Amino acid sequence: MLETKIISNSEVLYVVGGDDGDKSPGTNERGGLIKSWVNSMRACSPTRPKSFNSQSCWIKEHPSALNMFEDILHQSEGKQIVMFLDYDGTLSPIVDDPDRAFMSKKMRNTVRKLAKCFPTAIVSGRCREKVSSFVKLTELYYAGSHGMDIKGPEKGSKYIKENQSLLCQPATEFLPVINEVYEKLVEKTKSIQGAKVENNKFCASVHFRCVEEDKWSDLAHQVRSVLKNYPKLMLTQGRKVLEIRPIIKWDKGKALEFLLESLGYDNCTDVFPIYIGDDRTDEDAFKILRDKRQGLGILVSKYAKETNASYSLQEPDEVMDFLERLVESKQLRCGA
């Protein structure tokens, strides 16, 4: 039985409080609720760098994974690398229309080569079927809906036993309510130009990248008007997106742990997970790796952000360069 518990107060933006009223980290008065939401929406979606000194200090704490590549190789020496990759903003550029977030052919070829060298998983907030249709590689593990929908490779992977199937869906009971909330959100937000609601199976996403900033408060009001009637759901945030998710103890960090266990690497000292992501929801996975002092997290960002990741890359092109270098190093070791 899954424990129903808030994932992380640093990530959760809003939880229905039942008899005690609405609960939102950082505010105790209902009047300040929407304002706190909008402030969080701005904080999660920086559009300009901080001061030079702040940015410089941040880079020292989270150096480029490309510049530190030899150091990373040294850390992983003698260990099995396992790759975990977010999709949007990591393998594909962030775009205005989430339905057109296509990865390049060159990136797909890089990920294909990567999966031949290391067990590789895509961990995304997207519906698993949708992110799989974007990536178009059957040899990967896919964890959609922020890790609430996990499926193993269909074919072509040497890291899964023959006839072994892998499927994990810890939030199945929430499917009807997520569909219901999705329909209501579509209706409530249709008057707000640029807003787009996406059904990601075990969560619903409200994209506001194309919404004028002076309308964010209106959008927050509409989202709250729906969510306040669903005490088993919560609101979290990402890059120009609000996420409505079940209140269960499951996230991208739990998905990482589940996949490592499924691969036979739980409680192993000779495994080196590398997780690359750009979103606030990836912090759960970064934190798992940091707390265990196992492997490392790499944040994809041009701007300084609070993060549990050890290293940084600025954009998907740098991610591709890093992955290519990993493949080349593996091939050199194997004499390929």
Side-chain angles (χ1 to χ4, degrees):
M1 184 67 155
L2 289 168
E3 179 185 358
T4 55
K5 183 178 179 181
I6 295 173
I7 292 176
S8 161
N9 276 334
S10 65
E11 182 187 344
V12 175
L13 189 58
Y14 173 77
V15 180
V16 177
D19 294 335
D20 297 326
D22 299 332
K23 294 181 179 179
S24 179
T27 180
N28 295 319
E29 297 181 12
R30 189 173 300 186
L33 181 66
I34 298 301
K35 184 178 180 181
S36 73
W37 284 22
V38 173
N39 288 339
S40 293
M41 289 158 75
R42 291 194 185 103
C44 260
S45 307
T47 56
R48 59 185 65 87
K50 296 184 178 181
S51 69
F52 175 79
N53 287 338
S54 296
Q55 191 81 2
S56 179
C57 289
W58 187 83
I59 288 294
K60 287 180 181 178
E61 293 180 6
H62 311 283
S64 166
L66 287 172
N67 293 343
M68 301 298 292
F69 186 78
E70 293 302 323
D71 183 64
I72 291 172
L73 275 189
H74 179 71
Q75 292 179 54
S76 67
E77 192 170 351
K79 299 179 181 180
Q80 172 64 60
I81 291 176
V82 182
M83 295 301 305
F84 297 89
L85 306 168
D86 185 23
Y87 182 74
D88 293 275
T90 299
L91 298 181
S92 73
I94 295 292
V95 294
D96 289 343
D97 183 354
D99 290 332
R100 300 190 62 79
F102 305 123
M103 68 190 299
S104 67
K105 290 182 180 179
K106 190 174 180 182
M107 178 68 88
R108 181 174 295 107
N109 188 48
T110 296
V111 176
R112 180 183 290 113
K113 291 187 291 183
L114 184 76
K116 290 180 179 178
C117 297
F118 315 106
T120 302
I122 307 296
V123 188
S124 172
R126 298 272 196 160
C127 166
R128 174 173 54 80
E129 291 85 355
K130 181 175 286 187
V131 73
S132 176
S133 73
F134 280 150
V135 178
K136 298 178 181 177
L137 295 174
T138 60
E139 60 266 42
L140 308 182
Y141 292 81
Y142 288 94
S145 302
H146 299 291
M148 289 181 282
D149 188 6
I150 301 174
K151 194 173 188 299
E154 293 179 16
K155 59 182 179 180
S157 174
K158 62 183 180 182
Y159 299 105
I160 192 165
K161 296 176 182 178
E162 189 176 355
N163 299 322
Q164 178 186 2
S165 61
L166 176 65
L167 183 67
C168 176
Q169 296 177 327
T172 302
E173 66 182 282
F174 291 94
L175 278 174
V177 71
I178 291 293
N179 286 328
E180 183 179 306
V181 166
Y182 165 74
E183 296 293 343
K184 290 185 177 181
L185 286 169
V186 169
E187 183 65 26
K188 283 282 190 179
T189 62
K190 66 181 182 182
S191 62
I192 301 175
Q193 187 174 356
K196 184 178 179 63
V197 185
E198 186 178 16
N199 188 337
N200 282 314
K201 194 169 183 176
F202 294 101
C203 60
S205 305
V206 182
H207 299 271
F208 58 92
R209 182 166 298 278
C210 296
V211 177
E212 293 294 332
E213 192 168 333
D214 61 3
K215 296 295 182 184
W216 288 8
S217 180
D218 294 342
L219 180 64
H221 273 290
Q222 296 300 337
V223 172
R224 179 189 172 275
S225 72
V226 173
L227 192 57
K228 68 180 182 180
N229 298 313
Y230 295 90
K232 293 186 178 181
L233 300 179
M234 65 181 174
L235 187 71
T236 63
Q237 55 194 329
R239 289 178 65 182
K240 298 288 179 72
V241 64
L242 298 173
E243 306 272 10
I244 291 83
R245 300 160 61 178
I247 302 178
I248 64 170
K249 194 177 180 182
W250 199 267
D251 50 43
K252 289 184 176 182
K254 291 292 183 183
L256 180 149
E257 290 183 312
F258 174 83
L259 285 165
L260 286 175
E261 181 180 352
S262 300
L263 286 161
Y265 296 128
D266 55 318
N267 300 319
C268 286
T269 58
D270 58 350
V271 62
F272 195 83
I274 298 177
Y275 189 108
I276 308 178
D278 75 310
D279 202 79
R280 188 160 183 166
T281 57
D282 298 309
E283 290 298 327
D284 295 303
F286 294 154
K287 188 175 187 302
I288 289 286
L289 296 179
R290 172 158 283 191
D291 288 350
K292 289 187 172 182
R293 297 183 179 182
Q294 181 183 56
L296 55 89
I298 301 174
L299 177 69
V300 184
S301 178
K302 292 182 178 179
Y303 311 120
K305 294 181 182 178
E306 184 178 348
T307 182
N308 286 297
S310 302
Y311 298 93
S312 64
L313 293 167
Q314 290 205 3
E315 57 192 2
D317 282 347
E318 287 199 353
V319 173
M320 184 164 59
D321 290 345
F322 179 81
L323 300 181
E324 286 281 2
R325 291 184 67 178
L326 275 180
V327 170
E328 290 170 7
S329 67
K330 175 69 172 182
Q331 290 173 342
L332 285 172
R333 287 180 183 181
C334 296

